[in-house]
């Protein structure tokens, strides 16, 4: 997450404070998206992170993504992850990580604009419908740790004024100092962020509006906006049961951003939240392997090796992009290994060879199944086997020349080929299943039955 926050901007937003913050103000919003989801469960193919930090402002992004949806479906993606879609403090300039009104998707004139940075309510509805019509699920980015844009009010728990008077134009989830830290329950929770008002998830009122009410954030996003899954921002800031409760209320795929390189910690969080987690352990192992020319790092501890079902693997995202050397090799790793791989928009659309990525996505969706056996690793070479049907052998070579290696396969007396096209060999495995394969310099090959 990245944020732009100024107290001066908040000071310009002077709202009345006449509502009782502990009384839910119900207001029916029209159901505006009736698209029927005809998609498979998220996780069967590959996720696209459909944004980057500071995508073009001006309300054009939803339409930009909509135009790419058919080709992404054809390439083999099964879901798109959108940035936080509701109105934030910085209005038409915000990337959404400073949430103000969870129910304003570009239809209320507040925070200096009607539309969000990405577009209007009608445009996001059209995007979601188009995605569903192209068999793509849509993942909403949800920021539950903190809020931004509230007006100043006297706060008896701090003895001073705080920016905690939230009067959203939607009329839903009005908030005051009672709903943040400190309050009458406790001073803080797992962690605040950047000086923003920190939501108190132990408050019944907050729980009701986030997931318990019939028109809570969770149920409104699911039933009215038709989102299919949830990416939870900065989950270190609150307890895992918050994600668990939200996911159970709304149903659908859930993944948390628990930014930690320790695989055991990621496993603990994923099990506690009953959700997937971005595999930062895998990310940092790949970074170190490629930057330090030590592919033995790829045999290190990762969430995908502890619980592949809970691991969302990635090479870059809107927050971090530290794999500079031979980044395509990192994609060759995550798109041939276990876990649910996520491709970063700029890597796919702008920076890397799209044909190579499409080839790897096809390999992932058609060949990469079953458990993994790690066959060999040294500074320059890495070889692994997927044991499903048909399964594959992936050979990553980070040296300056072609390399060859004998490997043990699951195929006896079978002709195999490299599905990347880098090698023209079509060797026949021996009766004992061994075969010699090769890989190009600073490249990779992926072998499977012909």
């Amino acid at each position: 997450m990245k944020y732009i926050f100024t107290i001066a901007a908040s000071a310009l937003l002077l709202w009345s404070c006449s509502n009782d913050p502990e009384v839910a103000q119900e207001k029916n919003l029209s159901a505006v998206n009736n698209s029927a989801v005809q998609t498979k469960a998220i996780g069967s193919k590959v996720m696209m992170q459909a944004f980057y930090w500071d995508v073009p402002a001006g309300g054009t992004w939803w339409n930009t993504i909509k135009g790419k949806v058919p080709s992404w479906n054809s390439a083999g993606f099964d879901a798109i992850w959108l940035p936080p879609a509701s109105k934030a403090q910085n209005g038409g300039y915000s990337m959404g990580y400073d949430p103000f009104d969870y129910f304003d998707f570009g239809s209320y004139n507040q925070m200096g604009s009607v539309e969000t940075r990405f577009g209007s309510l009608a445009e996001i509805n059209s995007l979601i419908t188009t995605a569903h019509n192209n068999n793509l699920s849509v993942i909403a980015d949800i920021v539950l740790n903190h809020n931004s844009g509230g007006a100043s009010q006297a706060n008896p728990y701090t003895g001073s004024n705080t920016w905690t008077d939230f009067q959203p134009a939607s009329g839903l989830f009005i908030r005051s100092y009672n709903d943040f830290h400190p309050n009458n329950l406790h001073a803080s929770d797992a962690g605040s962020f950047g000086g923003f008002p920190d939501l108190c998830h132990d408050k019944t009122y907050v729980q009701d509006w986030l997931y318990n009410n019939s028109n809570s954030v969770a149920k409104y996003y699911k039933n009215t906006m038709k989102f299919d899954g949830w990416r939870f921002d900065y989950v270190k800031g609150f307890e895992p049961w918050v994600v668990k409760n939200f996911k159970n209320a709304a149903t659908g795929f859930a993944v948390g951003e628990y930014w930690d390189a320790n695989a055991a910690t990621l496993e603990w969080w994923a099990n506690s939240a009953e959700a997937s987690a971005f595999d930062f352990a895998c990310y940092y192992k790949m970074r170190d392997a490629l930057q330090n020319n030590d592919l033995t790092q790829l045999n290190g501890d990762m969430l995908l090796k502890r619980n592949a079902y809970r691991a969302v693997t990635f090479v870059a995202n809107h927050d971090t992009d530290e794999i500079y050397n031979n980044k395509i090799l990192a994609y060759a790793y995550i798109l041939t290994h276990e876990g649910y791989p996520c491709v970063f928009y700029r890597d796919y659309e702008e920076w890397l060879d799209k044909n190579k990525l499409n080839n790897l996505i096809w390999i992932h969706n058609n060949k990469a199944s079953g458990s993994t056996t790690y066959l060999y690793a040294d500074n320059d070479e890495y070889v692994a086997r997927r044991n499903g049907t048909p399964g594959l052998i992936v050979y990553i070579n980070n040296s300056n020349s072609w390399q060859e290696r004998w490997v043990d396969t699951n195929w006896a007396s079978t002709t195999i080929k490299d599905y990347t096209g880098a090698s023209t060999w079509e060797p026949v495995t021996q009766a004992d299943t061994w075969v010699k394969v090769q890989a190009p310099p600073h490249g990779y090959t992926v072998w499977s039955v012909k």
Side-chain angles (χ1 to χ4, degrees):
M1 70 188 76
K2 299 178 182 175
Y3 299 90
I4 301 173
F5 177 72
T6 63
I7 296 298
S10 292
L12 295 174
L13 307 173
L14 300 177
W15 299 88
S16 66
C17 188
S18 59
N19 297 83
D20 182 347
E22 296 298 328
V23 177
Q25 180 179 346
E26 299 285 344
K27 181 177 180 180
N28 293 326
L29 300 182
S30 300
V32 289
N33 191 340
N34 296 314
S35 63
V37 181
Q38 302 294 331
T39 55
K40 293 183 179 180
I42 300 173
S44 60
K45 294 183 178 180
V46 179
M47 181 197 305
M48 166 63 78
Q49 181 179 358
F51 67 99
Y52 53 92
W53 195 257
D54 281 346
V55 300
T60 62
W61 194 248
W62 296 146
N63 285 339
T64 296
I65 296 306
K66 177 182 172 182
K68 297 181 182 297
V69 158
S71 65
W72 290 349
N73 171 48
S74 297
F77 292 94
D78 67 350
I80 57 174
W81 159 25
L82 300 185
S86 60
K87 190 68 61 66
Q89 179 202 337
N90 286 292
Y93 297 99
S94 177
M95 283 297 296
Y97 291 95
D98 50 342
F100 175 76
D101 189 341
Y102 288 100
F103 297 88
D104 179 5
F105 291 85
S107 56
Y108 294 98
N109 188 0
Q110 57 182 339
M111 301 294 110
S113 68
V114 174
E115 292 190 351
T116 67
R117 182 188 190 98
F118 315 110
S120 67
L121 173 63
E123 288 165 345
I124 189 174
N125 285 327
S126 181
L127 165 59
I128 293 172
T129 298
T130 300
H132 289 164
N133 289 341
N134 282 272
N135 297 310
L136 289 174
S137 297
V138 184
I139 298 171
D141 203 319
I142 306 291
V143 184
L144 301 182
N145 180 71
H146 52 270
N147 291 169
S148 185
S152 178
Q153 64 179 173
N155 189 331
Y157 300 111
T158 64
S160 61
N161 277 34
T162 52
W163 305 95
T164 47
D165 182 17
F166 287 78
Q167 304 288 330
S170 67
L172 300 173
F173 198 13
I174 292 170
R175 296 154 341 257
S176 79
Y177 58 78
N178 287 295
D179 308 309
F180 299 94
H181 295 106
N183 54 49
N184 62 319
L185 294 181
H186 43 69
S188 64
D189 61 358
S192 60
F193 185 88
F196 290 88
D198 183 40
L199 277 171
C200 178
H201 291 281
D202 289 316
K203 286 280 191 173
T204 301
Y205 179 79
V206 172
Q207 295 172 11
D208 286 345
W209 273 109
L210 289 182
Y211 44 81
N212 285 333
N213 287 350
S214 60
N215 61 343
S216 63
V217 172
K219 293 171 185 174
Y220 188 85
Y221 278 46
K222 178 73 172 183
N223 300 326
T224 300
M225 295 304 297
K226 305 298 182 184
F227 283 105
D228 309 294
W230 327 103
R231 181 267 184 187
F232 294 94
D233 181 69
Y234 189 59
V235 297
K236 280 189 174 182
F238 46 87
E239 298 301 325
W241 57 260
V242 176
V243 167
K244 178 180 176 181
N245 288 352
F246 189 107
K247 179 208 66 172
N248 289 344
T251 70
F253 175 82
V255 57
E257 181 210 29
Y258 198 98
W259 198 324
D260 198 298
N262 188 296
T265 301
L266 296 174
E267 182 182 34
W268 160 80
W269 184 87
N271 289 340
S272 299
E274 297 180 3
S276 296
F278 285 102
D279 196 346
F280 281 93
C282 174
Y283 171 78
Y284 285 115
K285 291 296 184 185
M286 292 189 298
R287 181 200 66 179
D288 294 345
L290 294 170
Q291 287 186 355
N292 301 327
N293 197 36
D294 178 14
L295 297 193
T296 65
Q297 294 285 331
L298 299 180
N299 279 337
D301 195 10
M302 307 173 186
L303 180 59
L304 73 88
K305 298 177 183 180
R306 289 170 170 260
N307 187 345
Y309 176 74
R310 296 294 192 192
V312 176
T313 54
F314 66 100
V315 174
N317 63 30
H318 63 293
D319 279 334
T320 184
D321 189 5
E322 300 180 69
I323 301 176
Y324 306 117
N325 300 327
N326 300 310
K327 184 186 276 191
I328 193 67
L329 301 187
Y331 276 108
Y333 185 84
I334 69 168
L335 287 164
T336 55
H337 283 65
E338 294 171 77
Y340 180 32
C342 180
V343 174
F344 182 46
Y345 178 93
R346 301 200 85 166
D347 286 339
Y348 185 81
E349 293 291 343
E350 300 176 14
W351 293 339
L352 300 183
D353 187 328
K354 185 183 291 188
N355 290 328
K356 289 184 176 180
L357 287 171
N358 282 342
N359 170 252
L360 285 169
I361 292 167
W362 183 90
I363 288 169
H364 174 272
N365 294 346
N366 292 276
K367 302 292 183 180
S369 63
S371 62
T372 303
T373 300
Y374 302 94
L375 300 177
Y376 182 82
D378 63 19
N379 286 350
D380 296 323
E381 299 174 64
Y382 172 87
V383 190
R385 182 178 73 225
R386 294 295 299 275
N387 298 309
T389 304
L392 58 79
I393 299 286
V394 56
Y395 188 173
I396 297 174
N397 172 22
N398 200 29
S399 75
N400 294 323
S401 59
W402 279 85
Q403 299 294 331
E404 300 175 359
R405 189 159 296 281
W406 282 91
V407 296
D408 187 13
T409 75
N410 287 327
W411 314 300
S413 305
T414 302
T415 302
I416 64 172
K417 62 176 285 188
D418 167 32
Y419 276 85
T420 73
S423 172
T424 59
W425 284 7
E426 292 190 2
V428 179
T429 62
Q430 298 181 154
D432 63 359
T433 71
W434 282 77
V435 71
K436 181 189 282 188
V437 292
Q438 63 176 184
H442 302 295
Y444 55 91
T445 48
V446 181
W447 305 83
S448 189
V449 296
K450 184 177 177 182

